Amino acid sequence: MHTRRWSEGKAAVVAVVASATALLATYGVTLIMRNATFAMRMPEFLTSVQAEKVPPSTNAEYSQGRHLFLLNCAHCHGDDARGDEGPDLHDLHKSDVRIHQVITSGIKGEMPSFGKKFEESDIQALTAYLRTLRS
Amino acid sequence: MNSLFWSRLHGGATHFPIALIFAAAVFDTLSFVCRGSRRCRDFGVIGFWLVILGALGSFGAVFSGLALSKWQVGGTGQLLHHHLFVWPAFALIVGLATWRLLVGYHPARPAFRIYIGTILISCAVIGAAGFFGGELLLGQ
């Protein structure tokens, strides 16, 4: 290892090939795993699609709330908020105060807190968006 | 296994390669700047092993992250921002480690200069990926 075994140029070509191979291999594994996961969750997915409805309102607060939801919450609660690792957020039986509290403080061991990230208007918009989610 | 498990595993697995690559950048830069002495040559050897170990560790970080994101290579929102930096960082780390493995401890200086420039860019990309990853997991 103390002496150089490859020329720098040749090594650079191999390095680029190795990078591309690593990315492609990772993508391949990802596709396999995603298909396997999807197959396992197919019945749940079909139920979710059948129950999908158009949101009842499209005002500015709803739009802002949906934008914030997709940016910060969708990776756990699902793009359609029907739950993934986090719970389904349709038909919430919780007060606005409780929703506010959960968003700002989080749930220990389950959900991060967003108190330092969101302003009051953001939380109101998110709550307004969540209120539109009906089964 | 739930997302909390993968979240913790990813958080742990990610910081090893980040630290190793950042340290490799420091040692290789030192090795490049203070050439000649025995100590500087040792810095080059340390940088060599750090980047190799960092690249090996990056596979664990990437796959635990993919499991956490339910095997999404893109995603939406902060997850997408995180991934936009993760994939270039992963490619750069693997490429740099492969190159270093092939050329050995002490490459020729012109090529080593480009290598150091690239590893410093990689550190910036890794930092951005880490920032959005932190935003995603910590929400702050």
Side-chain angles (χ1 to χ4, degrees), chain A residues 70-109:
Chain A
L70 289 174
L71 201 62
N72 298 282
C73 320
H75 56 272
C76 282
H77 292 281
D79 287 352
D80 57 0
R82 292 203 172 274
D84 195 345
E85 290 298 334
D88 186 343
L89 298 176
H90 286 71
D91 304 317
L92 284 177
H93 297 293
K94 299 196 185 307
S95 67
D96 285 2
V97 174
R98 177 63 185 149
I99 291 172
H100 186 287
Q101 188 185 14
V102 170
I103 293 171
T104 51
S105 306
I107 302 171
K108 193 176 181 187

Side-chain angles (χ1 to χ4, degrees), chain B residues 1-132:
Chain B
M1 283 177 281
N2 62 15
S3 65
L4 197 61
F5 168 81
W6 288 115
S7 170
R8 286 175 176 161
L9 183 69
H10 185 56
T14 305
H15 286 89
F16 283 107
I18 290 174
L20 290 166
I21 297 296
F22 274 63
V26 170
F27 279 104
D28 277 333
T29 305
L30 285 173
S31 163
F32 182 80
V33 170
C34 62
R35 55 181 159 176
S37 73
R38 180 181 168 78
R39 180 174 292 177
C40 291
R41 292 184 68 79
D42 289 345
F43 286 155
V45 177
I46 295 168
F48 174 93
W49 286 110
L50 286 174
V51 79
I52 302 290
L53 292 174
L56 291 174
S58 70
F59 282 89
V62 162
F63 280 97
S64 62
L66 282 169
L68 176 62
S69 68
K70 274 79 74 181
W71 307 100
Q72 292 181 77
V73 290
T76 52
Q78 302 280 26
L79 182 64
L80 178 63
H81 293 158
H82 177 57
H83 283 161
L84 285 176
F85 289 98
V86 162
W87 298 120
F90 181 52
L92 282 166
I93 291 168
V94 171
L96 287 167
T98 305
W99 185 83
R100 200 66 200 282
L101 186 67
L102 295 174
V103 298
Y105 293 148
H106 305 294
R109 280 186 74 79
F112 200 32
R113 185 180 294 126
I114 296 170
Y115 170 85
I116 288 171
T118 311
I119 202 170
L120 291 174
I121 291 168
S122 303
C123 287
V125 178
I126 292 166
F131 170 77
F132 285 112

Side-chain angles (χ1 to χ4, degrees), chain A residues 13-27, chain B residues 90-92 94-95 98:
Chain A
V13 174
V14 177
V16 170
V17 172
S19 281
T21 306
L23 284 178
L24 284 173
T26 305
Y27 186 62
Chain B
F90 181 52
L92 282 166
V94 171
T98 305

